[in-house]
Amino acid sequence: MEKLLNEISSECKAAFSVNCDVEIELNIPENYKRNGDIGLPRVAENDLLRHFTNLSGKNYALSTTFYPLGSCTMKYNPLINEKIAKLDGFNDIHPLQPAETVQGALELIYNLEKDLCEVSGMDYFSLQPAAGAQGEFAGLLIIAKYFKSIKQKRTKVIVPDSAHGTNPASAAYAGFETIPLKSENDGTLSAQKVKEILTPDTAAIMLTVPNTLGVFEKEISEISKIAHENGTLLYYDGANLNALMGMARPGDLGFDVMHINLHKTFSTPHGGGGPGSGPVGVKAFLEPFLPVPRVENKNSKFVLNYKKSKSIGKLKAFFGNFPVLVKAYAYIKSLGGKGLKNASVQAVLNANYMLAKFKEKINVPAGNRCMHEFVLSPKSVLQNGVRTVDIAKRLLDYGYYAPTVYFPLIVEEAIMIEPAETESKETLDQFIETLDKIIFEEAVNEPQKVKDAPVNTSVKRLNEVEAARKPVLKWK
């Protein structure tokens, strides 16, 4: 007991002491030193604890509410993932340690690359990209360097209007000219129109399959054939792999390059700007161009190989967001092949169940069937000046995170809904009932209440333009 009391005493002294026994020379110029009190509030520990506990209670999280966020796959992150990522061998290492002291971590990276190849049909992966958009950028840099290596000048990338939103920016950032392609009335691409728009300087076609309307590209085999006959590569945006995992592989559909969002498909934390992970995968002929370092198995030891002369180089200070990689690996090994397939089957079932409930009342631009997500266009049923943004704000009052709205841009007043496989039928029914109530009751009988929403949240409706251009960044 005496030892325990001494420990508590020393901890308290360290926490509350205002004196320092060691003189530290900071060498801070006088004009940079503060002259007065910092002005922070002085509060008791219990008040501080209550403040942050109450703040956390106001946050939206998958542990408290349903995230119907289309194209972002807000699925549940199993606690076993967190437990595995906190193991000492993963949590207490440093990226600058010699490779021989982190063999377990390198082995996990090596094995995860193999698993992603099996799921996707690609031959090689790099886990270095820190987000899906960086994975896209890496893939396009690989494509650019490949054509340079075979002395072909190809400057254009075709991006359909139904592709994932970051595709045009990634192509432009990689130095390509973006060529838009309009989708058909059913949301799919016409292979004939793809053929007509192809030119000898087309480097790649970027496709999201299924696309942002939740529709599978039924002519994908023909599109792949047409592209390759032109010497054009096919890029797969993996944002919606959650709909295909275990059922179809992009590599088998003819894609040459792809990225995977581990923070979507493989159930690792997502949202709020990160952490993310966007591994880039390629067919064998593009392997020399992958980012360095590459994790390789040499005589039963794992090494980091920087000596890849054709590589696009390094994309990140260290090797990816490693804890995210650990969580994805835990997810894959927990579910196994059958479990991964079942996740996609359930995601598609949940989305089609919700679509069936809505399609008789609200316009569905892309037809009566979907993959893992679908897009509604309530423009024709909205009354009294109520718009999609008002519906989204009103959902906050009912404790729901709002779905993606006004995207894709090709759908007027779009509401994109993705329930993911981790939601129960009861949760889906409650959300359907709430959305119906807002659109068909409140917007008709109490339109101003919907236009003023949210009214139950701690922060009421903001002027979004002003909030974006003139953010308040100080606490008082």
Side-chain angles (χ1 to χ4, degrees), residues 210-221:
N211 60 35
T212 54
L213 290 165
V215 178
F216 185 82
E217 295 292 351
K218 59 188 178 184
E219 295 188 22
I220 185 60
S221 295

Side-chain angles (χ1 to χ4, degrees), residues 100-112:
E100 57 268 22
T101 68
V102 287
Q103 286 293 292
L106 294 180
E107 183 177 1
L108 182 143
I109 291 171
Y110 183 85
N111 289 338
L112 179 55

Side-chain angles (χ1 to χ4, degrees), residues 390 393 397 447-455 460-461:
D390 303 316
K393 300 292 187 183
D397 284 329
Q448 198 57 46
K449 178 187 285 188
V450 181
K451 294 177 185 179
D452 291 340
V455 296
K460 305 303 185 283
R461 181 172 292 215

Side-chain angles (χ1 to χ4, degrees), residues 37-256:
D37 188 273
I38 193 172
L40 293 176
R42 296 181 181 274
V43 296
E45 181 178 338
N46 61 331
D47 290 332
L48 187 67
L49 175 66
R50 290 168 187 165
H51 170 72
F52 284 108
T53 301
N54 288 331
L55 278 182
S56 68
K58 294 174 181 177
N59 283 340
Y60 282 97
L62 269 169
S63 58
T64 59
T65 190
F66 171 43
Y67 267 79
L69 199 59
S71 264
C72 281
T73 318
M74 288 294 205
K75 64 168 76 179
Y76 173 68
N77 308 139
L79 294 179
I80 189 173
N81 296 1
E82 303 296 324
K83 183 176 181 180
I84 298 301
K86 290 178 181 177
L87 290 174
D88 291 345
F90 297 139
N91 198 42
D92 294 338
I93 59 176
H94 192 280
L96 292 178
Q97 281 183 233
E100 57 268 22
T101 68
V102 287
Q103 286 293 292
L106 294 180
E107 183 177 1
L108 182 143
I109 291 171
Y110 183 85
N111 289 338
L112 179 55
E113 286 185 15
K114 299 298 182 186
D115 287 344
L116 295 182
C117 287
E118 179 63 29
V119 170
S120 68
M122 292 291 148
D123 297 318
Y124 295 93
F125 261 90
S126 167
L127 308 184
Q128 192 175 137
Q134 193 176 41
E136 289 175 24
F137 181 56
L140 288 159
L141 290 181
I142 288 169
I143 291 170
K145 195 150 192 181
Y146 162 72
F147 282 116
K148 185 177 180 180
S149 74
I150 61 173
K151 296 180 171 53
Q152 288 189 18
K153 187 176 181 180
R154 292 182 179 248
T155 59
K156 297 176 181 178
V157 170
I158 295 173
V159 182
D161 58 9
S162 58
H164 199 237
T166 53
N167 286 182
S170 295
Y173 197 52
F176 290 103
E177 178 187 353
T178 302
I179 306 299
L181 177 61
K182 192 177 187 308
S183 53
E184 302 301 298
N185 291 335
D186 64 356
T188 65
L189 295 177
S190 161
Q192 180 59 36
K193 289 185 179 178
V194 170
K195 187 174 183 178
E196 291 170 2
I197 202 173
L198 279 173
T199 60
D201 58 353
T202 303
I205 306 173
M206 298 185 77
L207 299 179
T208 306
V209 183
N211 60 35
T212 54
L213 290 165
V215 178
F216 185 82
E217 295 292 351
K218 59 188 178 184
E219 295 188 22
I220 185 60
S221 295
E222 184 63 22
I223 291 172
S224 173
K225 179 182 176 183
I226 291 169
H228 290 135
E229 286 176 351
N230 191 61
T232 298
L233 300 186
L234 218 54
Y235 183 93
Y236 182 88
D237 183 307
N240 293 343
L241 186 62
N242 196 50
L244 295 185
M245 180 173 57
M247 295 188 286
R249 308 195 309 172
D252 298 337
L253 298 175
F255 287 92
D256 304 290

